[in-house]
Amino acid sequence: MTPAHRDRTQPGALGLVLARSTRLLGVEPFFMEFIAGMEECLVTRDMSVLLHVVPTYEEEVAAYRRWAEGGLVDAVAVVNLVEDDPRPAVLRELGLPAVLVGTWRDAPDLPAVRTDDGGPVRDAVARLADLGHRVIARVAGPRSLLHTQARTVAQEEACKEAGVESVVVDGDYTAESGARLTAELLKRDSRPTAILYDNDVMAVAGLATAKELGLEAPADLSLIAWDDSTLCRLASPPLTTMTVDVHGFGVVVAEAALDHIDGRPVTERWSPTAHFVQRGTTGPAPA
């Protein structure tokens, strides 16, 4: 049964498979806000998000096959795109309508909602360089992700243009990796005076680690999180962030999916761009 042959007397669904730890999903606010935005748009059509969390991309593909065979969803949103991603080809083979979400280097042959991952990183580096920081580090997400790679390229280019040193270490979005990698960075001979984080959970953990090592933000160390959330606002001091309208991002993805389901031309869309929000963890480089 294909989505086109679903029983239209039943409510529809937009599928979202996340290949990640269920433990991480419980503490990271991003996807809950993202899904809420999707649901806000879908509810007007008596549709909802069908969420499935699996540990690997292979099991994600297996879920798509089950959904296509059973006609369980009208379309899927594909997130966390990677190098040589096999999922678009599988979805075309299955005839399962799909929307690609995030960074995609070439012109996609499926409807897409793109993200600008490089621009916000360049903005953050420029602000930190203007504040006198000469060693700028980043605790990144997994390097296999295309949006991680785009951020890394942007950081290295921006640091080179500003004449400052760039350091990138690979995290996995968990608090544990944020704490461990922050400690390693702060024990370097050439210690960074500013650190960017690819999500809020790692940033909050990094702030706590810096305090444990006797460093205060922003006097000794400037920190910037990616993805604003309650975690960032309740930190002490509140974390400066590259803030994204995650709820609005979810709405845009759902709108693209509905166009695809209805057979309308799906114009390329862009997610809301991350922008700098100054709070209590950025300041001039220490003398």
Side-chain angles (χ1 to χ4, degrees):
M1 182 186 296
T2 66
H5 297 103
R6 291 181 71 252
D7 179 358
R8 290 298 171 181
T9 65
Q10 298 298 317
L14 174 60
L16 177 64
V17 185
L18 299 179
R20 66 201 295 109
S21 163
T22 53
R23 181 175 61 86
L24 178 58
L25 187 66
V27 298
E28 187 180 40
F30 177 90
F31 276 109
M32 294 302 98
E33 293 183 40
F34 182 68
I35 291 168
M38 295 167 70
E39 291 273 9
E40 180 182 285
C41 181
L42 295 172
V43 71
T44 62
R45 292 278 295 273
D46 194 25
M47 293 178 65
S48 60
V49 176
L50 177 57
L51 174 65
H52 188 40
V53 183
V54 297
T56 66
Y57 282 108
E58 290 76 17
E59 291 182 67
E60 179 176 343
V61 168
Y64 293 146
R65 294 189 184 281
R66 291 193 301 272
W67 285 355
E69 182 179 349
L72 297 177
V73 297
D74 296 274
V76 296
V78 184
V79 299
N80 289 336
L81 304 171
V82 297
E83 193 84 46
D84 299 321
D85 201 314
R87 292 172 293 172
V90 170
L91 291 164
R92 286 193 298 272
E93 170 201 327
L94 295 172
L96 189 56
V99 176
L100 304 181
V101 181
T103 296
W104 192 256
R105 292 201 183 105
D106 303 315
D109 54 3
L110 290 173
V113 177
R114 291 179 178 262
T115 56
D116 177 9
D117 292 287
V121 172
R122 293 186 183 92
D123 181 24
V125 169
R127 291 174 184 273
L128 292 169
D130 286 346
L131 288 168
H133 295 278
R134 290 296 172 261
V135 181
I136 299 174
R138 186 168 126 260
V139 178
R143 70 169 64 188
S144 61
L145 299 176
L146 290 178
H147 69 259
T148 300
Q149 296 175 21
R151 293 179 191 181
T152 297
V153 169
Q155 178 184 342
E156 292 174 345
E157 290 177 350
C159 285
K160 183 177 180 180
E161 291 168 6
V164 302
E165 181 181 350
S166 171
V167 181
V168 179
V169 292
D170 298 325
D172 62 7
Y173 297 137
T174 64
E176 291 80 5
S177 72
R180 174 177 53 81
L181 293 168
T182 299
E184 292 176 6
L185 287 169
L186 296 179
K187 292 173 182 176
R188 286 167 47 99
D189 291 337
S190 178
R191 179 175 72 79
T193 58
I195 306 177
L196 311 175
Y197 295 85
D198 271 14
N199 78 340
D200 45 5
V201 174
M202 294 193 297
V204 171
L207 175 60
T209 297
K211 289 181 180 179
E212 291 171 4
L213 294 174
L215 299 175
E216 293 296 328
D220 304 310
L221 178 68
S222 286
L223 305 176
I224 301 178
W226 193 292
D227 298 335
D228 197 1
S229 70
T230 302
L231 290 177
C232 296
R233 294 187 288 274
L234 294 180
S236 180
L239 276 154
T240 296
T241 63
M242 301 309 295
T243 297
V244 182
D245 179 5
V246 179
H247 188 277
F249 189 6
V251 170
V252 172
V253 170
E255 289 173 344
L258 290 175
D259 279 352
H260 199 18
I261 291 167
D262 293 342
R264 294 190 294 267
V266 184
T267 58
E268 183 178 83
R269 289 170 163 88
W270 285 83
S271 74
T273 301
H275 62 278
F276 182 84
V277 174
Q278 171 74 48
R279 292 204 182 98
T281 58
T282 47

